[in-house]
Amino acid sequence: MPVNGKLLIDGQLLDAPRTYESLNPATGEVLGRAPDATPADAEAAITAARRAFDTTTWATDKDFRIRCLDQLYQALNDHKEELRELTIAEVGATRALTHSAQLDDPINIVRYNADLLRTHPFTVDLGEINSRGQRHHRWVEKEPVGVVAAILPYNYPNQLALAKLAPALAAGCTVVLKAAPDTPLITLALGRLIAEHTDIPAGVVNVLSSSEAAVGEVLTTHRDVDMVSFTGSTATGRHIMAAASETVKKVFLELGGKSAMILLDDADFAAASMLAAYMICTHAGQGCALTSRLLVPREHHDAVVEQVAQHFGRVRHGDPSDPKTYMGPLISERQRDKVDGMVQRAVAAGAKLVTGGERVNPGFFYTPTLLAGVDPDSEIAQEEVFGPVLAVIPFEDDDDAVRIANNSVYGLSGGVQSRDQERAIAVARRIRSGTFSINGGNYFAPDAPFGGYRQSGIGRESGVAGLEEFLESKTFATVVA
């Protein structure tokens, strides 16, 4: 696939008068150029999506939607290796990670939603009731929301694009998909596949890339957009929620996290230390659900810190295209500056820098960083870092661990480690979060709802719940003769 992308608007692959650079974060060099869409382009995409929803049979022809999703699944598999190389180069994802959450697993989201569409009950019979001296038959039908603006972050662009696009299309919606400014090319490549290898009608899917914040403003405020699906920072999510309120749009928000992994006093500390170390280094810590706080019994704090530090020393970071590399770069120099600034402030506030905290050039690498003795109320324990930084926090007992874990505006994920499964489950149930891992259990799959409590978002992505986000319920009643 070409590195220089094109917009997809109303079925046409288009250039734009202006372009902007997309960098390879492992080298800092220019990878390609993306079209810099304008607010007028966003208006055109919304108009196309509105027309496709209102005047075609897309919303009502379930069999046709199944066929198109099957075609998209096939196209993604046929071009998987091209997408893999582009994901590695633009996202900085390691080759190993593209064989799971960065590419291969997301493709299966399309398969899941095509199969779900074959069986999902879009009509629910409520039976009959007596009312006002007559019999009334009632039922509920599920209808697509309408035009969806789907706005992506940079960290897992394939996962997040397909987690929004596949269920939206399955539901019968039309979509304007906006790529993240830092990773436009991989999302534009998805648009090209849709245009060239599927029968999805013109206007049903539109794909934009832009460096202009004004484009996002159009998508979140336009009267012809019925729903906004956004994944990104909580600060931006608040702004989108406020903007969408002017026209009372439905919103799905998957926002930040500051998840805690709790090691109970009967945990296997050696295994848990390794899991905590390698998890925070996954994709250089650029994951909203990663456990960036490690809660440890006070009497075991120093020993666990030593074990985690040893594992950090074994994390191989470097060229993400090398199959032996575990951790790639941060997405940009701007993000690396943010991460380093938070680490430096944490040390100034009293946290102990055990290892890491170093920039590695060329590219935007940052060494795995371990902070010990962290105050649970400090910035580093409260704010999302989005880098390979693990904050170790001591606790006194199970109640104290639960209190610290819940001491957050977020509620996205978390984990607990204990040799006593029932004790671990009991603790897990007390944590206010949308997902939770018990002794390393993996909850992330196309059929499992994903989302958060509190300021980690609204709604759920994936699973039956993910499809339902894009549906409205209409209740009918008729008098029985």
Side-chain angles (χ1 to χ4, degrees), residues 93-131:
T94 60
R95 186 169 298 280
L97 202 53
T98 65
H99 286 282
S100 57
Q102 283 284 6
L103 181 60
D104 290 5
D105 291 352
I107 290 174
N108 289 328
I109 296 172
V110 181
R111 173 79 282 136
Y112 171 81
N113 278 276
D115 291 341
L116 181 60
L117 184 53
R118 290 176 165 92
T119 61
H120 189 70
F122 284 85
T123 301
V124 178
D125 194 289
L126 299 180
E128 297 182 3
I129 60 169
N130 286 314
S131 177

Side-chain angles (χ1 to χ4, degrees), residues 26-37:
T27 64
E29 298 174 352
V30 176
L31 175 64
R33 303 192 70 86
D36 203 359

Side-chain angles (χ1 to χ4, degrees), residues 33 115 136 153 168 174 220 225 240 254 273 311 350 373 427 431 452-453:
R33 303 192 70 86
D115 291 341
H136 301 261
T174 58
T220 55
V225 172
I240 286 174
E254 200 271 278
S273 297
H311 289 299
V427 168
I431 307 302
Y453 291 11

